[in-house]
Amino acid sequence: MNTSPAEGEAQPLGRRARSKIKMKERLYTAALELFAEQGYDQTSVDEIAERADVARGTFFNHFPRKEDLIGT
C-alpha cells in the first residue's frame, strides 16, 4: 500500500512553514497599513515591526530590506 502523495500532488505544509507564511503576511499587512497612513519614505522598519508586534530582527528574517516589501 503506497501512502505517499500522487505525483504532482502537493503535500500539506507543516506547522513551521504555515507559521512562517503567517508572520510574513502579518509584516506585509502592517507595512501596507503604515505606507497608506504616512507614506513609504516616512515609514521605518522599526515602525513596521512594532505594528506587527514583533522584534526588528524578525522583520529582517522575512525581508532583507524594506524595499523587498514592494516586490512581494
Side-chain angles (χ1 to χ4, degrees):
M1 173 185 222
N2 185 359
T3 59
S4 63
E7 195 172 316
E9 187 177 314
Q11 290 186 347
L13 295 174
R15 182 178 15 179
R16 185 175 182 166
R18 290 191 314 267
S19 178
K20 188 174 182 177
I21 290 168
K22 285 180 186 177
M23 178 56 64
K24 191 168 188 173
E25 289 173 350
R26 195 161 119 196
L27 286 161
Y28 185 72
T29 299
L32 290 183
E33 289 171 358
L34 286 164
F35 296 163
E37 291 170 15
Q38 58 194 32
Y40 176 84
D41 289 332
Q42 289 71 37
T43 301
S44 71
V45 168
D46 289 330
E47 290 172 315
I48 295 167
E50 185 176 330
R51 173 73 60 100
D53 196 30
V54 298
R56 185 175 199 270
T58 301
F59 175 91
F60 291 109
N61 287 339
H62 297 278
F63 299 98
R65 305 169 303 164
K66 183 172 91 168
E67 293 82 10
D68 293 322
L69 287 161
I70 305 300
T72 300

